[in-house]
Amino acid sequence: MKISRLIFPIFILILILSTNQMAANKIQNNLDKQKINKAKLAEEVKKQFLHAWEGYKKYAWGHDELKPISKSYKDWYGVSLLMTPVDAFDTMTLMGLKKEANEAKELILDSLSFNKDIYVKNFEITIRMLGGLLSAYELDHDKRFLSLAEDLGNRLLPVFNSKTGMPYMFVNLKTEKTKGEVSNPAEIGTLLIEFGTLSKLTGKSVYYNKAKNALVQLYNRRSKIGLVGSSINVDTGEWVDMESHISGGIDSYYEYLLKSWKLFGDKDCKKMWETSIKALNKYLADSTSTGFWYGQVDMNTGEKKSTNFGSLDAFFPAELALSGDIKRAEELENSCYKMWNLEGIEPEEINFSNMKILYPQYFLRPEIIESAYYLYHYTHDEKYLEMGKTFVNNIIKYCRTDAGFAELKNVVTKEKQDSMESFFLAETLKYLYLLFSPESTLNFNKIIFNTEAHPLKRYYK
Ligand code: DMJ
C-alpha cells in the first residue's frame, strides 16, 4: 500500500485522539472548577460572619469589641464608640443581612455620641468610624449617618493644627486638645479618602483641604531618592526614624496616594503615587530565591537594612493590581501565600531571606485576602479562589471559638488570644465574601475601598 494512502487515516486517528484528549481536559478543568463552588463558599463566609456577630450580640452588645475567649468585651477608651457595629454595618448590607444591619443601625443611631472627654487615635477613628459612617450613609441613604460623620469630622479637625499642618496622633473629642507630635506616614497620610468624601457629601471643602495638605507636606519631606522614613515630628517636620518600608506605619500612606487619585481624580495624588512607586520598585523590591518581596532600606541612601515582610505588607499586591502592575502584584501575592503556608496560617512577620518566622501571631488580618480579591477581579484566575478557600478553611480551623473568632498568639502552636478586632468583620470577612460573590454584589469599578474596606463612591471614572 502506498504511504500516501495511509496518511489520511492516520491524520483522522490523531484528530480523534486529540479531540478526545481535549474533551477529557475540559471535563477535568470543569471538575477542578467544581472544587471551587463560589456560591457555597460565599454562603459559608456569611455563616461565619453571623457566628461572629451573634457572639458580639450576646457578650459585647453596645461595646467596641468582643473578647471571644473570655466571652466579654473591650472598650478602647473606657467608654464605647460602637466600633464593631459601625465597622461591620456595610459588610452586613453587602451580605444582604437585613435584620442584622437594621439592629446595628438602630444601636448606632440610638446611642452613638462623640461628645466624650477621651483622647482618641485620629488614624484608627478615621479609618474605622468615619469611613464606616460614610459608607453606611452611601449604602443606606439615612442622613443621620452623615450627621454623625460630620460631627466626628469636626471633632477630629483640631489634629491638623500643628506647625506643618500634618496631624497630631491624638485628639480629645470634647476639649479639642491634641497630643502626639511624633507620628508616622500611615497616620499622617491615611485621611484623604474619608475627609475628602466628607467634603464631597457636605459641600464643605475644609476636610479635603486639611487632609490633602497633610499628605503633600509629608510627600514634600521625602528624601532625594523619593522615599519616606518611619517616623516624623509633625511640628518640626524633621524625620525621627529614617527606615523606609511598605509595612505598618507607612503602608496606607502609599495606598492613599494611589486611591485618592482614583477616587477623586486628584492629579497631584497621581503624580505623588507615580514618583513614589518608582522609588519603591527601585530600592525596596527584592527578588530572591524565596520569591519577590519588598524589604527595608535607608530612606536617604537606599542601603538595604533588613529583609522582613509581614501580614500588613500583604496589602501591596492589591495596590499594584489597582495601579495596573499585574505582574508584580501576582509575584508578590505568590510570596505572601508562601508565607501563609509556612504554618497553615499567616504569621505577623518573617525574614524572607531564610523564611524564618520573626513574630508568630495572627491578628485575623485581611490584607492577603484583600489582595487575592483584587487579583481575582483583574485576572479571573481560579488560583485566587483556591487561595481564598484555604484562607476560610484555616481561619475556621484555627481561630473559631464558640463565641466568635480569636487571634492566634502563635501560628506554630495555634494558641489563641482573647481578641477579635473590628476589622475582622469590616475587612477579613468582607473581602472573603466578595471574592466568592458575583461581581454584581458590588461594582468594583464604581467604588474605592478605604484602608478599612469601606467602599466609597468614585467621583472619577
Ligand atoms: C486595619 O485596621 C487597616 O487595614 C489598616 O490599614 C491596617 N491594619 C488593620 C488590618 O490589619
Side-chain angles (χ1 to χ4, degrees):
M1 197 192 292
K2 271 194 180 167
I3 294 215
S4 59
R5 283 216 188 135
L6 277 175
I7 287 178
F8 186 68
I10 289 174
F11 172 74
I12 294 293
L13 190 67
I14 291 174
L15 197 69
I16 291 169
L17 286 176
S18 62
T19 312
N20 282 346
Q21 189 52 49
M22 271 158 64
N25 287 346
K26 206 169 165 194
I27 291 168
Q28 189 53 48
N29 276 343
N30 284 341
L31 279 176
D32 286 346
K33 272 186 199 154
Q34 277 167 18
K35 275 193 242 148
I36 295 292
N37 183 334
K38 285 176 67 183
K40 203 168 149 213
L41 281 161
E43 267 318 297
E44 183 61 48
V45 175
K46 206 196 256 194
K47 214 171 94 196
Q48 302 308 323
F49 179 94
L50 280 172
H51 174 67
W53 179 246
E54 287 304 319
Y56 171 80
K57 270 169 62 180
K58 199 156 172 202
Y59 303 109
W61 186 247
H63 294 280
D64 280 341
E65 285 174 2
L66 168 72
K67 290 176 90 174
I69 297 175
S70 58
K71 299 182 179 168
S72 56
Y73 58 81
K74 173 180 155 186
D75 288 318
W76 280 31
Y77 303 108
V79 289
S80 174
L81 291 174
L82 299 180
M83 202 103 53
T84 294
V86 172
D87 230 3
F89 177 81
D90 57 12
T91 309
M92 298 171 191
T93 309
L94 293 172
M95 287 180 173
L97 297 170
K98 291 211 177 92
K99 178 174 101 36
E100 289 72 17
N102 277 336
E103 60 202 18
K105 176 175 172 179
E106 218 171 276
L107 175 66
I108 294 166
L109 296 180
D110 283 354
S111 50
L112 182 56
S113 158
F114 296 115
N115 191 21
K116 294 194 162 88
D117 190 1
I118 48 174
Y119 277 91
V120 299
K121 206 162 206 219
N122 179 50
F123 164 80
E124 295 290 357
I125 295 305
T126 298
I127 65 170
R128 299 186 197 218
M129 303 289 300
L130 189 54
L133 290 168
L134 290 168
S135 73
Y137 170 65
E138 289 192 351
L139 287 168
D140 183 82
H141 311 296
D142 190 318
K143 283 242 159 70
R144 289 172 294 175
F145 281 126
L146 183 58
S147 306
L148 279 167
E150 192 175 354
D151 178 44
L152 177 59
N154 290 335
R155 289 170 191 274
L156 296 176
L157 272 183
V159 289
F160 297 107
N161 296 339
S162 71
K163 296 204 177 81
T164 62
M166 291 189 284
Y168 293 109
M169 262 193 180
F170 299 93
V171 60
N172 186 303
L173 289 179
K174 196 172 204 160
T175 65
E176 302 189 357
K177 283 192 189 142
T178 52
K179 62 183 186 187
E181 71 276 17
V182 176
S183 190
N184 58 60
E187 306 215 15
I188 293 165
T190 312
L191 306 168
L192 185 51
I193 289 182
E194 299 80 2
F195 280 75
T197 299
L198 187 57
S199 279
K200 297 281 178 193
L201 294 174
T202 58
K204 296 177 187 161
S205 56
V206 58
Y207 313 108
Y208 193 107
N209 294 342
K210 298 263 187 196
K212 165 100 182 266
N213 176 54
L215 200 55
V216 172
Q217 289 293 330
L218 180 71
Y219 174 79
N220 286 345
R221 288 171 172 80
R222 73 195 180 284
S223 69
K224 287 204 179 82
I225 61 172
L227 296 173
V228 295
S230 310
S231 103
I232 190 167
N233 184 309
V234 300
D235 276 327
T236 64
E238 298 293 327
W239 287 103
V240 177
D241 183 334
M242 297 188 208
E243 190 169 90
S244 200
H245 51 78
I246 57 158
S247 195
I250 300 186
D251 46 7
S252 42
Y253 157 64
Y254 291 122
E255 180 181 348
Y256 274 37
L257 290 178
L258 172 65
K259 288 184 172 176
S260 298
W261 157 36
K262 301 275 177 188
L263 179 62
F264 303 118
D266 190 310
K267 297 262 160 52
D268 298 331
C269 293
K270 175 178 190 278
K271 216 180 103 210
M272 294 191 283
W273 161 258
E274 285 169 352
T275 313
S276 303
I277 188 64
K278 241 188 236 158
L280 293 177
N281 283 333
K282 182 161 179 195
Y283 296 104
L284 273 67
D286 204 346
S287 284
T288 71
S289 59
T290 61
F292 175 65
W293 310 90
Y294 288 78
Q296 292 70 34
V297 305
D298 181 289
M299 69 177 269
N300 293 310
T301 62
E303 186 199 338
K304 233 192 229 182
K305 290 286 169 197
S306 42
T307 49
N308 301 345
F309 192 92
S311 57
L312 286 168
D313 309 56
F315 82 107
F316 211 56
E319 308 321 312
L320 290 166
L322 182 64
S323 77
D325 189 349
I326 301 292
K327 186 176 173 290
R328 282 196 184 87
E330 294 213 84
E331 280 176 20
L332 189 59
E333 182 70 354
N334 286 342
S335 302
C336 296
Y337 195 48
K338 276 190 200 162
M339 175 169 75
W340 177 287
N341 282 324
L342 284 175
E343 293 295 337
I345 194 149
E346 190 182 46
E348 181 66 356
E349 195 165 300
I350 62 164
N351 178 347
F352 62 76
S353 67
N354 56 16
M355 298 303 278
K356 290 267 178 310
I357 294 176
L358 300 173
Y359 295 99
Q361 304 90 334
Y362 174 57
F363 293 106
L364 297 171
R365 289 198 194 281
E367 287 78 4
I368 192 173
I369 301 166
E370 170 184 2
S371 288
Y373 164 59
Y374 274 65
L375 277 164
Y376 182 65
H377 168 80
Y378 286 112
T379 66
H380 285 106
D381 188 332
E382 295 262 325
K383 86 174 176 202
Y384 298 111
L385 299 178
E386 286 286 352
M387 284 187 188
K389 195 174 162 191
T390 307
F391 301 147
V392 197
N393 287 343
N394 293 4
I395 288 174
I396 296 173
K397 184 165 170 198
Y398 300 125
C399 304
R400 193 177 147 120
T401 70
D402 29 313
F405 288 82
E407 297 170 358
L408 297 183
K409 197 178 275 176
N410 191 316
V411 294
V412 183
T413 63
K414 311 291 188 292
E415 188 190 347
K416 296 187 177 79
Q417 61 190 24
D418 199 11
S419 175
M420 184 182 85
E421 289 237 25
S422 62
F423 59 67
F424 180 64
L425 298 179
E427 296 191 72
T428 311
L429 293 176
K430 183 188 287 143
Y431 284 129
L432 273 173
Y433 180 73
L434 291 174
L435 172 63
F436 300 124
S437 300
E439 296 247 329
S440 57
T441 307
L442 180 71
N443 190 336
F444 185 94
N445 297 319
K446 293 223 158 121
I447 56 98
I448 285 292
F449 291 99
N450 86 334
T451 195
E452 188 78 1
H454 296 303
L456 294 166
K457 277 188 198 135
R458 277 196 194 206
Y459 292 86
Y460 171 70
K461 300 271 171 289

